[in-house]
Amino acid sequence: MSKSSPKLFNKCFWLHAAGIIFVGLGFVGMALPVMPTTIFFILALACFTRSSPKFANWLLTHPKFGEPLKLWHDHQVIPIKGKWGAGLGMLLGYMILLYSQPALWVLILVASIEVAVMIYILSKPSAPPISL
């Protein structure tokens, strides 16, 4: 038997593909006010960190979203502006959901998820630790 040939669709390929999809969703989120943006760039960074240092570096040095990604990557910091944006975005999305008059269980489920997400967001630091 011959040695096994490298797989075309290995773990690195799938991480890279997922990273590209997440970047695309992040850009869509920049255009749509009710779709999150930052979480997709964080997920893309996680994928690229494991599959493509070149693309991870591109994200970390990007002029618009590089700094918040660096803060998250290094210290899991969510700036105050980001916390407000997340809270207001979730509130807006929930108000639109209320307007569409869904079933009660949908309202309760979405509210529960949004409260859990907001607790998580508020539990993260708003600034990096001060180095002495």
Side-chain angles (χ1 to χ4, degrees):
M1 288 254 154
S2 64
K3 294 181 182 177
S4 63
S5 59
K7 292 181 181 178
L8 177 61
F9 298 112
N10 60 14
K11 180 182 173 183
C12 187
F13 170 84
W14 291 112
L15 285 170
H16 191 75
I20 290 171
I21 290 168
F22 288 137
V23 166
L25 289 171
F27 282 120
V28 169
M30 291 171 80
L32 300 175
V34 295
M35 187 170 169
T37 301
T38 307
I39 188 62
F40 290 118
F41 288 123
I42 289 171
L43 290 170
L45 180 61
C47 291
F48 289 147
T49 299
R50 292 162 181 79
S51 67
S52 175
K54 176 182 171 184
F55 282 106
N57 186 52
W58 174 76
L59 283 173
L60 291 171
T61 58
H62 192 277
K64 179 151 178 79
F65 43 81
E67 188 60 32
L69 286 175
K70 275 188 229 172
L71 289 172
W72 174 261
H73 188 258
D74 296 341
H75 307 288
Q76 290 193 334
V77 165
I78 302 175
I80 294 287
K81 183 179 174 183
K83 291 178 180 185
W84 273 101
L88 292 173
M90 286 191 287
L91 179 63
L92 175 64
Y94 196 75
M95 290 171 62
I96 292 169
L97 180 66
L98 282 172
Y99 184 73
S100 69
Q101 299 178 343
L104 180 61
W105 69 269
V106 173
L107 290 173
I108 293 170
L109 177 65
V110 171
S112 301
I113 291 169
E114 288 192 356
V115 166
V117 168
M118 210 54 221
I119 289 170
Y120 177 78
I121 288 172
L122 293 173
S123 74
K124 295 300 175 188
S126 299
I130 298 172
S131 301
L132 295 176

